[in-house]
Amino acid sequence: MAGRLLRLAGFDIDGIADGPGLRCVVFVQGCPHHCPGCQNPQTWPFEGGEEVSVEEVERRIRATVVDTGVTFSGGEPFTQAAALADLAERLRPDYDLASFTGYTWEGLMARAKEDPEILRFLGWLDVVVDGPFVQALRDRNLLFRGSGNQRILDVKASLAAGEAVWTKDPAWVGEDGSARAEG
Ligand code: SF4
């Protein structure tokens, strides 16, 4: 059976801005949030970008050789949860996996009641950076996030606790957790 297709806005390799270490960044096409001040408004239309098979995206990621992590960004990754869950499953256990989302964790959990693929995608992720970009809370000093409302969440701990739980991984929040500070 043919694999699912992803609608991609772009693809970066050896990135250092969207998570710790050297990472591939998979930018998906399509975003319903339309945050004022968004740096990627070209990713908003759902009919834009290019359609690429999950297998082809995996091939591009594995061809990078040095990257140890993959970050899903956008656009809104959770509007393509089924295809990204397939991709994330194929990448485990060779990469650490993170995703940005413009939904809050609580919003994602509400949506997951209608779309079980959201939970399947989350099940393969280490970290989710949640929440929309809020221009009034923008802070260039924040590590791996654009505005102070966003949280860097430990997905497994959050699912187990039934609520959003910040990651304690120093690679994401610093040895002393200082990168966790609200902006
Ligand atoms: S969620 Fe991200 S891509 Fe979507 S509008 Fe907000 S900042 Fe832009």
Side-chain angles (χ1 to χ4, degrees):
M1 192 176 81
R4 288 191 171 94
L5 296 175
L6 261 176
R7 190 170 279 277
L8 280 189
F11 183 79
D12 268 357
I13 65 169
D14 306 346
I16 57 169
D18 296 299
L22 288 175
R23 310 179 73 85
C24 289
V25 187
V26 178
F27 295 94
V28 305
Q29 182 71 33
C31 183
H33 303 297
H34 297 193
C35 309
C38 169
Q39 293 191 332
N40 300 313
Q42 72 280 5
T43 67
W44 293 359
F46 283 92
E47 63 277 7
E50 60 164 341
E51 280 196 319
V52 185
S53 70
V54 163
E55 292 79 4
E56 170 59 16
V57 181
E58 180 192 13
R59 189 196 64 73
R60 292 184 194 178
I61 291 169
R62 292 194 183 279
T64 62
V65 182
V66 296
D67 290 353
T68 58
V70 177
T71 298
F72 304 105
S73 186
E76 172 50 64
F78 282 86
T79 61
Q80 300 191 54
L84 288 177
D86 289 354
L87 176 59
E89 181 174 3
R90 297 175 77 98
L91 294 171
R92 279 288 189 193
D94 302 323
Y95 297 87
D96 72 90
L97 301 175
S99 184
F100 286 87
T101 177
Y103 296 110
T104 62
W105 178 265
E106 294 76 13
L108 272 185
M109 292 298 101
R111 293 181 68 81
K113 291 178 183 154
E114 306 294 325
D115 181 2
E117 296 292 349
I118 287 176
L119 284 181
R120 192 166 72 88
F121 179 32
L122 283 171
W124 295 110
L125 296 176
D126 299 294
V127 159
V128 160
V129 184
D130 84 329
F133 172 69
V134 177
Q135 211 161 9
L137 299 175
R138 180 183 187 182
D139 183 345
R140 289 179 186 276
N141 295 318
L142 293 172
L143 198 57
F144 307 134
R145 53 199 177 114
S147 57
N149 59 298
Q150 295 169 319
R151 301 170 293 185
I152 305 175
L153 303 178
D154 179 325
V155 173
K156 283 183 181 53
S158 298
L159 289 172
E163 62 181 7
V165 176
W166 273 83
T167 181
K168 294 184 172 65
D169 184 344
W172 280 94
V173 293
E175 287 295 337
D176 58 357
S178 57
R180 176 182 164 162
E182 305 279 319

